[in-house]
């Protein structure tokens, strides 16, 4: 079971003990997309979504999702986040919104799950806000773009 930190010596699932690890600056950035019809993109951009301000709701959901990662992911530690930054960007072809989350904390374990949970929550909220006009929207992929801090140091995803 070498290298699988969430398994004990007998192969049983466990939450990793991070109590002895030093506090270090942790940063992670993740992104995801929601693809949609051109008319849906236009409605969001024009502020014509009947439920209200779709992008504001998505931004708030992304922040809340990052803060709630440990409640959603069984072996994820609760982390006192210092900041969660959300960016939403319209893409013309194919019509989509790209949502990215940057999470940071001074803590004993990384914030990758917080960044990715934030992306998932933000995209789901955007779907919820717009589903009445476009049930065919598709989410994904969600991926980690970079992480910094901790014992394993910095990591950056390959360009896509």
């Amino acid at each position: 079971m070498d290298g699988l930190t969430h398994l004990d010596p007998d192969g049983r699932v466990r939450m990793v003990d991070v109590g002895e690890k030093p506090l270090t600056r942790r940063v992670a950035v993740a992104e995801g997309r929601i693809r949609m019809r051109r008319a849906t993109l236009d409605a969001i951009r024009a502020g014509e979504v009947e439920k209200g301000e779709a992008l504001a709701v998505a931004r708030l959901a992304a922040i809340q999702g990052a803060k709630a990662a440990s409640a959603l992911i069984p072996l994820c530690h609760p982390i006192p986040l210092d900041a969660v930054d959300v960016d939403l960007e319209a893409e013309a072809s194919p019509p989509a919104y790209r949502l990215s989350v940057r999470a940071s904390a001074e803590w004993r374990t990384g914030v990758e799950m917080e960044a990715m949970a934030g992306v998932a929550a933000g995209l789901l909220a955007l779907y919820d806000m717009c589903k009445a006009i476009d049930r065919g929207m598709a989410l994904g992929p969600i991926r980690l773009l970079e992480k910094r801090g901790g014992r394993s140091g910095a990591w950056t995803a390959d360009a896509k």
Side-chain angles (χ1 to χ4, degrees), residues 41-142:
L41 180 73
D42 293 343
I44 295 169
R45 290 172 113 174
E48 297 173 352
V49 175
E50 284 186 32
K51 279 187 162 183
E53 298 177 34
L55 297 179
V57 171
R59 185 178 308 280
L60 288 171
I63 293 167
Q64 187 63 37
K67 291 168 39 176
S70 66
L72 301 170
I73 303 162
L75 300 177
C76 186
H77 291 82
I79 295 178
L81 294 171
D82 294 330
V84 177
D85 298 310
V86 179
D87 185 48
L88 282 150
E89 181 180 321
E91 297 180 334
S93 182
Y97 264 91
R98 176 187 169 273
L99 188 148
S100 66
V101 171
R102 180 185 183 276
S104 61
E106 183 90 11
W107 200 240
R108 293 179 175 92
T109 189
V111 292
E112 299 92 343
M113 300 312 298
E114 288 71 15
M116 289 192 290
V119 170
L123 293 175
L124 286 168
L126 193 52
Y127 182 96
D128 182 54
M129 292 297 290
C130 301
K131 68 186 177 194
I133 56 175
D134 187 357
R135 292 204 186 272
M137 293 176 287
L139 284 64
I142 295 170

Side-chain angles (χ1 to χ4, degrees), residues 7-28:
L7 297 178
D8 71 11
D10 296 321
R12 295 179 304 227
V13 175
R14 68 178 177 126
M15 187 170 183
V16 175
D17 182 355
V18 296
E20 299 298 318
K21 292 173 76 175
L23 295 174
T24 60
R25 185 82 184 138
R26 313 293 184 124
V27 177

